[in-house]
């Protein structure tokens, strides 16, 4: 991370307080509301921050203590509040008036008490919540909608501008009765599929560019009960396992011991099993990263002089707009070179430090967002909960498949990721989704059912804000999936 300092606004041991939440909110409101930095601590607790320079420029007074350092947080991301009431309500959620049972001071606010009960160290909740916010930052970088990247201490990897987005899905044989370790070491894979997406831009959303789908020829007569095989005309095909292995190796990392040619973000459903399946096809995942933190806060960037330095915001935004220009063909996207006069051309990443792939578990994103316990939901179930449709080919009057000229195939994993990443901050987004959810809100026992809080009030729920422009899906047809009996993982 860049060495940026932050002052905390409101909440436990804040640098800036006021006599009331309304008065504090009024100091921060502008014509279009208030935008602050959301910092997620290693334990999962969240705080509202302002960069030190911004804090002093706003003449908010003298801070109470030394500022936070960027490295004190696992993620730093934008958070917006349209009205003073929204911001004052957030401050109320962050207010910590209760004393801890052991006498040691800790954040007992409604927003954070469940996360601080286990201490301030790195926790699974901290990793998952910050990873969710990393997706939001990445999406906004693609859209060139972050005015000052330095405000979020970003230190982008040298290969950031070359990153490609893929989704990968699969089906394994549900009737496999071997021990778990054997099923993970040599999974009985029935079919695999992957899609490459055009990255979102400041003028367009995420779009599927090409799709591959292969059934394993050797296991063509195996099937899972109550599930129909999804067969896409002109796309799905049966192929020997060795042929599928070669295709996967060419797409996701070549042979054992070799690095991928270009960096990839790989969207999956069940990270652990996806890695097992890829390894079973000979993909070396040992250098891969879980999450995209290393893509946004790269140590390599501090040792490499790149034109996409976040300290040069003007050149950064111009280059991002050119890089993410839309290529609407179905052929694989190629890097668009943009070399300005009097500037040195970019050098490709060192052959000894080629970028890994970054795995993002979309199911875990959803469960983290909605504070659900880990469970084996299908892709379809999560898509339905998000009200995300499958924009696959539609059927015409003669029941034949009608392909669009652009975007003929697109798959749920990518659009599920986009639906969460292209939205408001994690806690505000959860409340907003609960307002439109048809399912009852489950009682939350804290991070992963972990450290409880004897004095926690189950009615302490963040109140909905009035985000007029927040992307929220409405119910749409599910396209190729007509019933729960067709809930293939691909």
């Amino acid at each position: 991370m860049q060495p940026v300092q932050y002052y905390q606004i409101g909440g436990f041991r804040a640098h800036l307080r006021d006599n009331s939440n309304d008065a504090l909110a009024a100091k921060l409101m502008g014509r279009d509301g208030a935008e602050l930095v959301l910092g997620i601590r290693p334990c999962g607790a969240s705080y509202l921050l302002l960069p030190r320079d911004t804090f002093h420029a706003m003449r908010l007074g003298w801070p109470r203590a030394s500022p936070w350092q960027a490295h004190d947080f696992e993620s730093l991301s934008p958070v917006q509040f349209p009205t003073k009431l929204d911001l004052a309500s957030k401050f109320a959620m962050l207010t910590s008036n209760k004393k801890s049972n052991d006498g040691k001071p800790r954040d007992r606010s409604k927003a954070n008490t469940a996360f601080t009960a286990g201490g301030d160290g790195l926790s699974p909740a901290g990793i998952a919540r910050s990873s969710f916010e990393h997706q939001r930052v990445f999406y906004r970088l693609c859209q060139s909608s972050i005015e000052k990247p330095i405000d979020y201490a970003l230190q982008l990897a040298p290969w950031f501008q070359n990153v490609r987005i893929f989704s990968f899905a699969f089906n394994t044989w549900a009737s496999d009765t071997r021990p778990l370790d054997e099923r993970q070491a040599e999974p009985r894979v029935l079919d695999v599929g992957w899609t490459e997406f055009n990255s979102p831009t400041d003028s367009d959303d995420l779009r599927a560019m090409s799709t591959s789908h292969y059934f394993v020829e050797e296991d063509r007569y195996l099937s899972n009960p109550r599930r129909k095989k999804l067969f896409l005309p002109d796309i799905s095909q049966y192929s020997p396992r060795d042929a599928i292995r070669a295709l996967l190796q060419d797409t996701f990392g070549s042979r054992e011991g070799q690095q991928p040619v270009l960096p990839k973000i790989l969207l999956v459903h069940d990270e652990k099993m996806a890695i097992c399946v890829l390894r079973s096809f000979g993909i070396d995942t040992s250098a891969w990263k879980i999450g995209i933190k290393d893509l946004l806060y790269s140590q390599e960037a501090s040792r490499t002089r790149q034109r996409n330095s976040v300290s040069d915001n003007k050149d950064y935004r111009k280059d991002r707009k050119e890089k993410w220009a839309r290529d609407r063909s179905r052929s694989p996207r190629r890097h668009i070179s943009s070399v300005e006069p009097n500037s040195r051309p970019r050098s490709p990443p060192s052959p000894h430090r080629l970028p890994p792939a970054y795995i993002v578990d979309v199911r875990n994103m959803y469960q983290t967002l909605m504070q659900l316990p880990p469970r084996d939901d299908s892709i379809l179930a999560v898509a339905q909960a998000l009200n995300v449709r499958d924009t696959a080919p539609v059927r015409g009057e003669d029941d034949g498949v009608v392909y669009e000229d652009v975007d003929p195939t697109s798959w749920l994993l990518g659009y599920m990721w986009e639906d969460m990443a292209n939205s408001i901050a994690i806690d505000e987004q959860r409340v907003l989704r609960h307002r439109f959810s048809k399912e009852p809100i489950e009682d939350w026992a804290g991070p992963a059912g972990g450290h409880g809080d004897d004095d926690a009030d189950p009615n302490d729920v963040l109140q909905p804000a009035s985000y007029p422009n927040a992307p929220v899906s409405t119910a749409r047809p599910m396209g190729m999936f007509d019933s729960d009996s067709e809930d293939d993982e691909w």
Side-chain angles (χ1 to χ4, degrees):
M1 289 182 170
Q2 298 255 29
V4 183
Q5 295 180 324
Y6 298 89
Y7 288 119
Q8 180 185 325
I9 313 300
F12 181 67
R13 292 181 170 177
H15 293 99
L16 177 66
R17 300 176 184 170
D18 211 308
N19 294 329
S20 69
N21 292 324
D22 286 341
L24 182 57
K27 289 183 177 181
L28 301 167
M29 295 304 296
R31 178 181 299 178
D32 299 323
E35 179 168 326
L36 294 90
V37 176
L38 178 68
I40 304 289
R41 293 276 290 148
C43 64
S46 60
Y47 298 96
L48 299 181
L49 313 169
L50 280 176
R52 180 177 178 177
D53 292 347
T54 304
F55 183 93
H56 290 307
M58 295 178 68
R59 299 182 179 182
L60 294 172
W62 194 255
R64 293 170 175 258
S66 300
W68 288 104
Q69 305 297 321
H71 59 71
D72 292 323
F73 299 90
E74 286 296 301
S75 67
L76 296 157
S77 54
V79 58
Q80 295 83 20
F81 298 93
T83 69
K84 186 178 74 172
L85 177 61
D86 297 328
L87 184 54
S89 299
K90 181 68 172 183
F91 286 141
M93 293 295 298
L94 292 170
T95 300
S96 179
N97 293 324
K98 298 179 182 179
K99 294 183 179 180
S100 57
N101 296 331
D102 57 8
K104 296 180 180 180
R106 74 172 178 89
D107 188 347
R108 298 292 303 277
S109 65
K110 295 178 180 180
N112 290 325
T113 186
F115 303 109
T116 61
D120 293 331
L122 186 63
S123 69
I127 295 173
R129 282 167 58 81
S130 61
S131 178
F132 185 96
E133 287 300 305
H134 293 155
Q135 314 307 315
R136 295 184 60 243
V137 172
F138 175 82
Y139 200 96
R140 281 153 183 75
L141 287 172
C142 293
Q143 292 180 316
S144 300
S145 61
I146 293 183
E147 293 292 335
K148 295 177 63 179
I150 190 65
D151 284 351
Y152 308 97
L154 292 169
Q155 192 164 278
L156 304 182
W159 46 83
F160 181 87
Q161 306 227 8
N162 295 326
V163 73
R164 301 160 69 190
I165 301 176
F166 285 81
S167 65
F168 174 73
F170 57 89
N171 277 300
T172 56
W173 188 33
S175 300
D176 193 344
T177 58
R178 293 176 299 163
L180 177 62
D181 57 343
E182 293 185 20
R183 298 201 306 268
Q184 291 179 338
E186 297 181 2
R188 199 75 178 269
V189 181
L190 302 184
D191 65 316
V192 295
W194 60 93
T195 294
E196 182 175 4
F197 294 89
N198 274 327
S199 299
T201 70
D202 57 354
S203 61
D204 211 345
D205 296 330
L206 186 79
R207 284 186 178 273
M209 186 170 64
S210 63
T211 294
S212 302
H213 182 211
Y214 294 93
F215 290 97
V216 178
E217 176 71 36
E218 290 85 341
D219 292 325
R220 65 181 303 159
Y221 297 111
L222 296 180
S223 62
N224 289 326
R226 298 181 301 279
R227 293 188 180 183
K228 291 184 179 180
K229 287 187 176 181
L230 174 63
F231 197 91
L232 302 175
D234 302 326
I235 295 177
S236 300
Q237 55 185 296
Y238 287 90
S239 186
R241 184 179 178 88
D242 287 345
I244 298 174
R245 175 194 297 264
L247 290 168
L248 284 170
Q249 289 175 348
D250 289 341
T251 304
F252 295 116
S254 301
R255 275 51 174 182
E256 293 281 349
Q258 293 183 350
Q259 290 282 358
V261 176
L262 289 175
K264 298 174 179 65
I265 291 177
L266 186 58
L267 309 175
V268 301
H269 184 84
D270 188 350
E271 152 207 317
K272 292 182 179 179
M273 198 60 200
I275 290 176
C276 290
V277 169
L278 288 167
R279 286 177 177 171
S280 73
F281 283 97
I283 308 298
D284 182 7
T285 63
S286 59
W288 290 19
K289 300 292 185 180
I290 304 300
I292 61 173
K293 181 179 180 179
D294 288 349
L295 183 64
L296 301 178
Y297 305 106
S298 170
Q299 294 183 358
E300 181 72 16
S302 64
R303 298 187 291 266
T304 306
R305 299 183 61 180
Q306 295 288 328
R307 284 183 57 254
N308 68 333
S309 170
V310 294
S311 63
D312 188 346
N313 296 301
K314 182 178 180 180
D315 288 347
Y316 165 82
R317 287 172 57 78
K318 181 178 180 180
D319 193 60
R320 290 298 303 170
K321 189 171 183 178
E322 292 175 351
K323 167 65 187 79
W324 297 115
R326 173 64 53 196
D327 175 6
R328 291 187 177 272
S329 69
R330 289 192 63 190
S331 59
R333 181 174 64 233
R334 289 169 171 77
H335 176 60
I336 300 174
S337 176
S338 175
V339 180
E340 297 179 359
N342 302 321
S343 67
R344 290 190 303 174
R346 286 195 195 92
S347 299
S350 167
H352 301 292
R353 293 177 178 175
L354 286 177
Y358 303 89
I359 301 180
V360 175
D361 190 333
V362 178
R363 182 179 68 179
N364 187 58
M365 276 184 67
Y366 173 73
Q367 292 173 351
T368 299
L369 168 65
M370 303 305 289
Q371 294 183 339
L372 299 173
R375 58 191 193 187
D376 191 22
D377 289 334
S378 68
I379 291 177
L380 177 61
V382 176
Q384 288 175 328
L386 289 170
N387 284 322
V388 173
R389 69 185 177 93
D390 179 11
T391 56
V394 298
R395 294 187 177 275
E397 295 180 356
D398 59 352
D399 204 34
V401 174
V402 177
Y403 290 96
E404 300 172 359
D405 293 335
V406 179
D407 188 21
T409 56
S410 53
W411 293 102
L412 288 174
L413 273 176
Y415 296 112
M416 290 156 57
W417 169 82
E418 180 183 47
D419 198 68
M420 294 181 281
N422 185 27
S423 189
I424 55 180
I426 183 169
D427 294 322
E428 286 67 34
Q429 187 178 156
R430 179 179 63 258
V431 173
L432 196 61
R433 289 186 184 278
H434 276 157
R435 292 173 58 186
F436 296 94
S437 175
K438 296 180 181 179
E439 297 182 1
I441 300 175
E442 297 186 20
D443 291 335
W444 191 54
H451 305 277
D453 190 339
D454 295 336
D455 297 330
D457 185 352
N459 296 314
D460 290 346
V461 178
L462 184 63
Q463 296 303 311
S466 56
Y467 300 93
N469 298 319
V472 178
S473 298
T474 56
R476 290 172 287 180
M478 292 303 298
M480 300 189 70
F481 299 95
D482 295 326
S483 69
D484 289 343
S485 65
E486 297 178 320
D487 57 350
D488 285 34
E489 294 299 313
W490 146 252

